[in-house]
Amino acid sequence: MAVLASIGSADFNNPAINGQVDGTRARRSPGSALKPFIYALAFDQGLVHPQSILADTPTGFGSYQPDNFERDFRGPISAFDALRFSRNIPAIKLAAQLRQPSYYSFLQRAGIGKLRPESDYGLSLVLGGAEVTGREMAELYAMLANGGVQRPLRFQTTVAEPMARQQQLTPEASFMVLDILSHSPHPLRSEDDGTIAWKTGTSNGLHDAWTAGVFGDYALVVWVGNFSGKSNPALVGVRS
């Protein structure tokens, strides 16, 4: 959990881009970058396994009609493919079936700061409604690599590792999620070699683009965006 590198802005000395803001501490919408934890909870609660078939079909939740990023539907789809292709409808349906902990309770227990009351989010929680920092994101992905055990980041690597550790997910669920993420489609390669388990996220309105992943002994999180919050059509996680 030792932080080896932390880059908070593109240029510390550039006031035009608010360069002295530390972007690793800024709260931003994660988009779909936290979907893996919905599946991990569903695996732990026995709701599905990676080859369970889910429905990726047009579904209304009252007046809310969620869509997929690609604005298409794939019909019957395995949980394995639903996660690696980041389909919204299966994730929303799974989150609604979670018992204890619920997805919101999990985020609370994991220490995601400044959460509003659960009723404020509704289904938007699944698609990035709760803002997180890059540091929190790194801790969550490191949790998967550590078999579901959450430990705090260490910024002074010479200091002894803190004793605080919480088993948030089982090793089995963590393994299955990482295995799925190691097959995420790569924009620059026809096939993934399985050495990087990674997930992208794009916030609603194209304000934030994320990639978070695990490779070897390392977890890495990248956020791209404007500190002003200005949107940009280039801010799509899998592309940028």
Side-chain angles (χ1 to χ4, degrees):
M1 299 306 295
V3 176
L4 302 184
S6 179
I7 302 172
S9 76
D11 185 354
F12 183 83
N13 295 309
N14 186 350
I17 62 167
N18 301 302
Q20 294 184 15
V21 172
D22 183 353
T24 71
R25 300 171 183 260
R27 297 204 165 275
R28 313 295 302 208
S29 166
S32 295
L34 296 186
K35 273 183 191 166
F37 300 94
I38 295 171
Y39 285 82
L41 291 168
F43 294 157
D44 268 345
Q45 295 179 18
L47 298 176
V48 291
H49 58 75
Q51 295 308 317
S52 295
I53 300 301
L54 306 176
D56 182 22
T57 55
T59 305
F61 300 86
S63 60
Y64 181 47
Q65 302 260 343
D67 203 348
N68 289 303
F69 186 79
E70 297 85 356
R71 305 202 179 280
D72 64 354
F73 299 93
R74 300 195 180 192
I77 189 171
S78 68
F80 186 96
D81 283 343
L83 175 53
R84 75 189 189 103
F85 291 124
S86 196
R87 311 304 289 176
N88 287 339
I89 306 302
I92 291 172
K93 289 181 176 179
L94 272 184
Q97 296 176 54
L98 291 174
R99 300 183 292 273
Q100 285 301 321
S102 66
Y103 181 45
Y104 180 85
S105 298
F106 168 79
L107 296 178
Q108 277 187 316
R109 285 170 29 176
I112 302 303
K114 298 188 177 180
L115 287 173
R116 304 194 305 275
E118 185 172 9
S119 58
D120 285 3
Y121 295 108
L123 298 174
S124 73
L125 188 65
V126 176
L127 305 182
E131 296 179 330
V132 301
T133 70
R135 296 184 180 194
E136 290 169 343
M137 185 85 75
E139 199 168 300
L140 287 171
Y141 273 79
M143 177 203 303
L144 291 175
N146 286 330
V149 174
Q150 183 178 12
R151 293 181 290 172
L153 300 178
R154 285 190 297 138
F155 285 87
Q156 293 179 295
T157 57
T158 57
V159 175
E161 182 177 342
M163 294 300 292
R165 46 190 292 139
Q166 288 183 289
Q167 188 81 47
Q168 304 282 20
L169 302 166
T170 64
E172 293 82 1
S174 302
F175 174 86
M176 287 189 286
V177 166
L178 284 179
D179 179 60
I180 294 171
L181 297 183
S182 71
H183 293 83
S184 295
H186 196 290
L188 303 180
R189 295 197 296 268
S190 58
E191 292 185 13
D192 197 278
D193 60 11
T195 60
I196 302 174
W198 67 303
K199 181 76 183 72
T200 62
T202 304
S203 71
N204 187 38
L206 305 177
H207 299 278
D208 309 277
W210 296 82
T211 298
V214 172
F215 56 103
D217 293 331
Y218 302 96
L220 177 66
V221 172
V222 177
W223 169 82
V224 182
N226 297 301
F227 289 158
S228 66
K230 184 179 179 181
S231 64
N232 187 316
L235 295 178
V236 177
V238 74
R239 291 205 296 267
S240 58

